[in-house]
């Protein structure tokens, strides 16, 4: 019974009224039904009458037709599911059952309608079941798009900072709480960094509030760029930002992040007609060490921030005292390294790699040393990361390459033709301009590509996958050997090994340490060796110190060893003596 288009006709049968006789009663019922239809038709709410089960339309009023963009006749071919894409017939049947059980038999819902042109709008629905024969469902709908939008805006204002769109204090606190709760007993390491910026009041008063907002947005952008995707950046108050960083392997990583942020913030911000710098200080609390609940961590980060404000020498501080010594050290290393090249504070030492079967020296690895007047000898594990962060690594790395190649030239001239010179290559050096440096050094020192080898770590490929692989393939195509350093302690991915043009893999010395006593380490080393051989790579064990380790590695079929057992790293002159003695010694 499609009655929709025939408003004003006999769409709904009226009931007979006792005081009328025959034709009069019928006429009265017809007029009543016309009036009822007119009332529904003129209703401000979108109103539909549908048949439960088929959910086809029996009646659709003007407001509904206009909102949905259909003509009255279109509804003959449609059912309720066509305009509520979120509901299938099965959904509607469940709603029908619920209405049957409810008193009065009605239900309120929120969903969205789809117009004829495909666009949608949010609606609040009241569905009322009219029992009897036939049963009908009256659906009245009101458009709540504006209300929903307003609610969203209010919600955003409650949780986000309006200037930067970053989470505000409430949301940050909530995220921190959830992170801490979510991890339970196996709480992964992480940190809260509170960053306090200066100069905002100066910009606000001196240039104007619009410029101050621009400055704050720039700071927000730089902070967001400095962190990883899974970290949270928030604005807690006018001048205070916060970062929640998770899954830290070591607490020092939080120091590296703080330094990165401070370096980024140090670059001047261009505001209309002005260049402004944004001095900042950072307070850090780490978890689980400094607390396992949000309030404690925030208050400890505050205490650290206060400490950073008071200490003119450094601009970030940890809550934990021991870590502050580390910070001071890093600051000293940072300043010590600037000018270290000019002061000729760097040198190289060389450590042999020997064939496990013939005990012949097949190559040497050049290792960088730094001796500073104030700091003394600083281990490379402490200063190489700083060189990388400050960008000094490309200059120092080129110097290492050139010095190592000159040493290789000396060895060659002394008749040691087969000893390949290996140089460690930082991830930051794997850039296109390195090819030029490499070619120039080879020409200048009169070496062939086969004379040298580059040691890379997996971070090269993890960081800048495709481009790095392409560049390394070009280097390998020149005839230069490439080896994977420290294998086993990084991502140790088989797919990395297959993608890279490697000759050799070097097993990290942490596995070699206990190889003779720890069955797990022995199994890992065995697996790395057989995997390396399956991929036709030579396998070198790093850090071999004892004959027991050597014996175990021999049994496992390792090809070469490097370590104190044969020789520690030695100076260039000592290396010549070592090579001469090794040549004289019986195999
Ligand atoms: P690496 O490339 O894995 O170098 C091997 C490290 O193991 C060296 O430490 C070496 O002195 C040490 N080693 C060698 N044999 C033994 C042993 O039997 N027992 C023990 N306990 N240690 C042994 P070093 O010289 O402190 O270098 C540490 C790391 O610093 C290097 O690890 C490398 O990643 C980096 N590095 C050193 N020189 C350079 C360089 O010129 N450029 C770059 N980018 N990184 C460098
Ligand atoms: Mg190395
Ligand atoms: Mg290594």
């Amino acid at each position: 019974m499609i009655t929709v288009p025939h408003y004003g006709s006999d769409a709904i049968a009226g009931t007979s009224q006792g005081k009328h006789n025959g034709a009069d009663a019928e006429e009265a019922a017809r007029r009543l039904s016309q009036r009822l239809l007119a009332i529904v038709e003129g209703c401000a709410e979108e109103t539909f009458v549908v048949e439960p089960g088929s959910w086809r339309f029996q009646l659709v009023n003007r407001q509904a037709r206009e909102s949905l963009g259909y003509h009255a006749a279109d509804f003959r071919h449609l059912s309720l599911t066509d305009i509520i894409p979120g509901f299938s017939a099965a959904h509607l049947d469940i709603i029908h059952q619920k209405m049957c059980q409810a008193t009065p038999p009605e239900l309120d819902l929120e969903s969205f309608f789809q117009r004829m042109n495909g666009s949608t709008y949010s609606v609040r629905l009241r569905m009322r079941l009219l029992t009897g024969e036939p049963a009908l469902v009256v659906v009245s709908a009101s458009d709540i798009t504006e209300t929903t939008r307003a609610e969203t805006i209010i919600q955003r204002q409650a949780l986000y900072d309006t200037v930067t769109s970053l989470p505000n204090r409430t949301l940050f606190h909530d995220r921190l709480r959830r992170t801490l709760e979510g991890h339970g007993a196996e709480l992964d390491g992480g940190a809260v960094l509170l960053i306090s910026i200066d100069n905002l009041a100066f910009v606000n008063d001196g240039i104007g509030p619009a410029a101050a907002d621009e400055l704050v947005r720039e700071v927000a952008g730089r902070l967001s760029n400095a962190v990883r995707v899974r970290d949270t950046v928030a604005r807690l108050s006018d001048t205070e930002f916060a970062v929640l960083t998770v899954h830290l392997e070591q607490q020092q990583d939080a120091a590296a992040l703080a330094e990165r942020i401070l370096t980024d913030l140090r670059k001047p911000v261009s505001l209309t007609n002005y260049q402004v710098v944004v001095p900042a200080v950072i307070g850090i609390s780490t978890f689980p060490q400094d607390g396992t609940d949000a309030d404690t961590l925030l208050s400890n980060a505050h205490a650290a921030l206060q400490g950073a404000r008071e200490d003119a020498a450094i601009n970030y501080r940890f809550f934990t005292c021991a870590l502050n010594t580390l910070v001071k050290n890093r600051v000293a290393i940072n300043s010590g390294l600037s000018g270290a090249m000019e002061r000729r504070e760097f040198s190289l030492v060389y450590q042999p790699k020997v064939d496990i079967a013939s005990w012949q020296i097949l190559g040497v690895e050049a290792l960088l040393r730094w001796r500073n007047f104030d700091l003394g000898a600083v281990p490379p594990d402490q200063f190489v990361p700083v060189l990388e962060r400050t960008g000094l690594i490309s200059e120092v790395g080129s110097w290492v390459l050139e010095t190592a190649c000159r040493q290789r030239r000396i060895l060659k001239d002394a008749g040691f033709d087969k000893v390949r010179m290996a140089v460690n290559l930082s991830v930051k050096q794997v850039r296109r301009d390195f090819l030029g440096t490499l070619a120039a050094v080879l020409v200048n020192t009169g070496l062939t590509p086969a004379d040298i080898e580059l040691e890379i770590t997996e971070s090269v490929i993890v960081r800048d996958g495709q481009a790095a692989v392409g560049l390394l393939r070009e280097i390998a195509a020149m005839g230069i050997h490439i080896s994977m350093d420290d294998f086993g302690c990084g991502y140790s991915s088989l797919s990395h090994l297959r993608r890279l043009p490697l000759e050799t893999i070097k097993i990290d010395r942490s596995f070699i340490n206990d190889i003779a006593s720890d069955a797990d380490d022995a199994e890992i080393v065995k697996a790395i060796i057989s995997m390396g051989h399956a991929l036709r790579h030579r396998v070198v064990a790093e850090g071999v110190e004892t004959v027991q380790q050597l014996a175990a590695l021999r049994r496992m079929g390792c090809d070469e060893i490097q370590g104190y057992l044969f020789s520690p790293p030695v100076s260039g002159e000592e290396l010549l003596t070592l090579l001469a003695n090794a040549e004289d010694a019986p195999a």
Side-chain angles (χ1 to χ4, degrees):
M1 179 184 68
I2 303 287
T3 55
V4 179
H6 310 296
Y7 296 115
S9 69
D10 53 351
I12 295 179
T15 45
S16 77
Q17 306 287 304
K19 57 184 169 182
H20 298 284
N21 61 19
D24 279 355
E26 239 174 62
E27 177 56 21
R30 198 181 65 80
R31 272 203 233 116
L32 177 64
S33 81
Q34 273 183 357
R35 285 179 62 196
L36 290 176
L37 283 172
I39 291 169
V40 174
E41 176 72 355
C43 213
E45 281 195 321
E46 298 173 37
T47 309
F48 312 80
V49 178
V50 291
E51 185 185 56
S54 72
W55 300 105
R56 296 186 80 83
F57 293 104
Q58 304 299 312
L59 189 75
V60 179
N61 79 347
R62 186 174 53 227
Q63 180 62 46
R65 297 194 303 273
E66 284 176 7
S67 298
L68 289 162
Y70 287 107
H71 292 296
D74 298 330
F75 285 98
R76 288 173 193 275
H77 314 291
L78 299 175
S79 73
L80 198 54
T81 53
D82 293 308
I83 62 161
I84 318 185
F87 286 172
S88 65
H91 272 120
L92 290 171
D93 290 342
I94 294 170
I95 289 172
H96 180 212
Q97 274 173 20
K98 286 196 171 158
M99 280 191 289
C100 290
Q101 291 155 5
T103 342
E106 51 185 45
L107 219 62
D108 291 328
L109 300 161
E110 277 184 17
S111 184
F112 58 95
F113 276 176
Q114 185 163 38
R115 297 188 184 91
M116 189 183 175
N117 66 11
S119 62
T120 56
Y121 56 104
S122 302
V123 282
R124 182 166 297 134
L125 300 173
R126 163 153 296 188
M127 297 177 82
R128 185 178 313 132
L129 178 66
L130 303 180
T131 48
E133 204 40 56
L136 293 169
V137 173
V138 181
V139 183
S140 10
S142 38
D143 184 343
I144 53 163
T145 312
E146 278 311 313
T147 329
T148 317
R149 191 177 296 148
E151 272 169 13
T152 313
I153 291 171
I154 291 167
Q155 214 172 30
R156 273 199 76 79
Q157 279 173 346
L159 297 176
Y160 292 87
D161 172 53
T162 42
V163 179
T164 59
S165 298
L166 290 177
N168 65 10
R169 184 181 288 277
T170 312
L171 185 55
F172 183 77
H173 193 280
D174 189 54
R175 293 223 178 132
L176 178 57
R177 190 178 49 78
R178 281 167 199 254
T179 302
L180 298 167
E181 282 172 5
H183 287 73
E186 314 124 48
L187 187 61
D188 250 354
V192 173
L193 284 75
L194 284 186
I195 302 131
S196 169
I197 60 164
D198 217 340
N199 264 355
L200 188 64
F202 164 77
V203 171
N204 195 51
D205 301 344
I207 315 179
D213 284 354
E214 207 180 316
L215 181 76
V216 166
R217 275 193 288 271
E218 178 65 29
V219 170
R222 291 186 189 182
L223 289 178
S224 305
N225 281 338
V227 303
R228 296 164 306 175
V229 190
R230 57 184 170 206
D231 298 340
T232 301
V233 179
R235 188 176 181 211
L236 305 191
S237 68
D238 281 358
T239 56
E240 202 171 279
F241 290 82
V243 169
L244 164 62
T245 177
V246 289
H247 303 309
L248 292 185
E249 277 176 22
Q250 44 181 354
Q251 291 170 309
Q252 282 97 312
D253 293 350
L257 175 59
E259 282 170 18
R260 208 158 57 233
I261 288 173
L262 289 166
T263 309
D264 286 354
L265 291 183
R266 238 170 255 136
K267 294 173 199 147
V269 180
S270 300
L271 302 170
T272 20
N273 300 330
Y274 294 93
Q275 290 250 329
V276 181
V277 282
V278 191
V281 284
I282 302 181
I284 308 169
S285 62
T286 59
F287 52 84
Q289 294 81 357
D290 300 338
T292 49
D293 67 274
D295 289 329
T296 311
L297 284 166
L298 278 167
S299 106
N300 288 347
H302 252 291
L305 182 66
Q306 204 46 44
R309 283 199 183 106
E310 285 160 12
D311 190 339
I314 54 173
N315 32 25
Y316 70 98
R317 258 187 100 92
F318 280 93
F319 178 70
T320 310
C321 293
L323 289 173
N324 287 324
T325 317
L326 180 127
V327 172
K328 287 218 162 100
N329 236 335
R330 288 171 77 104
V331 171
I333 288 174
N334 250 318
S335 63
L337 279 175
S338 75
M341 272 291 269
E342 292 71 26
R343 295 192 301 270
R344 297 172 174 267
E345 292 177 355
F346 293 113
S347 62
L348 289 187
V349 287
Y350 304 90
Q351 187 177 35
K353 301 184 217 180
V354 291
D355 185 273
I356 207 163
S358 67
W359 217 232
Q360 293 272 307
I361 299 176
L362 301 180
V364 292
E365 176 178 6
L367 292 160
L368 183 59
R369 294 291 175 261
W370 177 42
R371 176 170 283 282
N372 176 269
F373 184 76
D374 296 319
L375 300 169
V378 183
D381 291 337
Q382 285 184 27
F383 72 81
V384 171
V386 181
L387 287 177
E388 288 176 337
R389 226 177 13 257
T390 52
L392 284 170
I393 192 71
S394 52
E395 188 190 355
V396 178
S398 299
W399 176 86
V400 170
L401 181 70
E402 204 179 313
T403 310
C405 285
R406 268 194 273 112
Q407 183 64 33
R408 175 70 193 98
R409 179 78 256 165
I410 294 171
L411 298 185
K412 240 182 163 170
D413 293 344
F416 303 108
D417 219 24
K418 295 200 194 71
V419 184
R420 195 180 292 131
M421 176 65 71
V423 173
N424 290 287
L425 197 62
S426 152
V427 52
K428 293 284 170 69
Q429 288 173 274
V430 184
R431 294 190 341 210
R432 194 125 283 279
D433 55 3
F434 182 69
L435 281 181
T437 310
L438 201 52
V441 169
L442 286 180
V443 171
N444 290 345
T445 48
L447 295 181
T448 66
D451 288 321
I452 60 170
E453 174 176 333
L454 298 172
E455 294 192 7
I456 57 162
T457 57
E458 279 174 288
S459 52
V460 166
I461 180 164
V462 173
R463 219 182 146 104
D464 189 14
Q466 224 25 58
V469 173
L471 200 68
L472 291 169
R473 288 204 175 129
E474 281 182 58
I475 293 175
M478 288 164 73
I480 293 173
H481 282 227
I482 296 177
S483 52
M484 172 68 77
D485 205 353
D486 305 340
F487 191 75
C489 67
Y491 299 84
S492 305
S493 147
L494 193 59
S495 72
H496 291 171
L497 283 190
R498 287 182 48 226
R499 283 172 68 195
L500 288 168
L502 299 173
E503 288 290 329
T504 307
I505 56 180
K506 299 181 74 180
I507 308 175
D508 191 64
R509 73 165 184 268
S510 57
F511 296 101
I512 308 301
N513 267 342
D514 298 328
I515 189 180
S517 55
D518 184 321
D520 285 345
D521 278 359
E523 280 308 315
I524 291 171
V525 171
K526 220 190 279 179
I528 296 177
I529 292 172
S530 56
M531 185 177 72
H533 286 165
L535 293 169
R536 291 183 294 282
H537 300 321
R538 280 181 75 77
V539 181
V540 180
E542 296 183 317
V544 180
E545 295 179 355
T546 66
V547 282
Q548 287 80 3
Q549 291 166 344
L550 175 69
L553 288 162
R554 269 215 175 105
R555 278 198 302 277
M556 292 174 188
C558 186
D559 302 297
E560 289 172 41
I561 64 130
Q562 181 180 1
Y564 297 165
L565 179 68
F566 184 84
S567 166
V570 295
S571 68
E573 299 86 72
E574 286 169 317
L575 179 64
L576 276 169
T577 318
L578 196 70
L579 283 166
N581 290 345
E583 214 160 61
D584 294 342

